[in-house]
Amino acid sequence: MDKLILQEKYGHILDENLLGEILQIGRFKTYKKNDIIIDIGQPLKFIPLLISGNIKILREDNEGNELLIYFLEAGETCTMSLTCCMGTTKSKIRAVAEKDSSLVMIPVQNMLQWFHNNRSWRTFILESYQERFDEMLDTIDNIAFMKMDERLNKYLVEKTKLHGSKTINVKHQDIAEDLHTSRVVISRLLKQLENEEKIKLSRNKIVVL
């Protein structure tokens, strides 16, 4: 079953021999929604390959406020953790399960070895860096140039794509933390979007129309 899942999610880019090695040395782990997978300051000895579910990657300021950087979907890895692994530094991000998720954890030494001697792995890592870099630039642009109501609307649309549903189960406080603002601001903007008939609100649930 693990082999079939790996082939489904990573077979389009990783070669057969490498998939076999991942099955031998990888540690398969599962996480419940809101579980912390990687925390800030944590030494990184493994990198995650996401098999199912979604993960949100967060940064934290000196006062403990979190800012959403990007989401990971099945078939992806966190390049910010890769950077920490390569530099043998502690994690600078927090990775939290957006919903129940399963991963395979790859030891750092194998990751580095494959980067030098396996073309498919090297391509996967470099493409992952490019995708995450583009997403971080997008996050910076959102903060610098978009109004909060525009950021909120984009956030909700991204959530529907991640979960494959127009209905999002989320608290106003959770949205506020992801967008680095207050719950009062989010509640007001959500009500505004509802009045514009772009969403429908109910308790801890938002339907994007």
Side-chain angles (χ1 to χ4, degrees), residues 40-103:
I40 295 170
Q42 175 183 331
L44 294 176
K45 298 180 180 180
F46 298 86
I47 65 156
L49 298 183
L50 184 56
I51 296 174
S52 66
N54 301 120
I55 297 173
K56 58 183 177 181
I57 306 300
L58 307 161
R59 283 280 289 158
E60 186 178 80
D61 66 17
N62 293 332
E63 297 178 355
N65 299 309
E66 293 179 331
L67 175 66
L68 176 66
I69 303 298
Y70 54 75
F71 287 102
L72 292 179
E73 300 181 66
E76 298 179 337
T77 188
C78 177
T79 52
M80 293 188 77
S81 65
L82 293 176
T83 302
C84 293
C85 285
M86 288 182 173
T88 63
T89 60
K90 295 180 179 180
S91 173
K92 297 178 181 178
I93 55 92
R94 178 173 293 123
V96 179
E98 172 76 5
K99 60 182 180 180
D100 293 356
S101 302
S102 60
L103 304 91

Side-chain angles (χ1 to χ4, degrees), residues 8 29 33-34 41-43 62 107 118-119 124 136 144-145 156 173 181 187 199 206:
E8 178 187 352
K29 302 189 72 173
K33 180 179 179 180
N34 295 326
Q42 175 183 331
N62 293 332
N118 188 284
R119 182 177 179 180
F124 170 63
M136 283 190 286
F145 305 120
L156 295 175
Q173 181 61 39
T181 187
S187 295
I199 63 171
I206 302 170

Side-chain angles (χ1 to χ4, degrees), residues 129-146:
Y129 269 117
Q130 185 62 55
E131 289 175 9
R132 299 291 86 80
F133 181 72
D134 290 344
E135 288 177 344
M136 283 190 286
L137 285 180
D138 189 48
T139 298
I140 293 171
D141 287 344
N142 289 346
I143 295 171
F145 305 120
M146 294 180 71

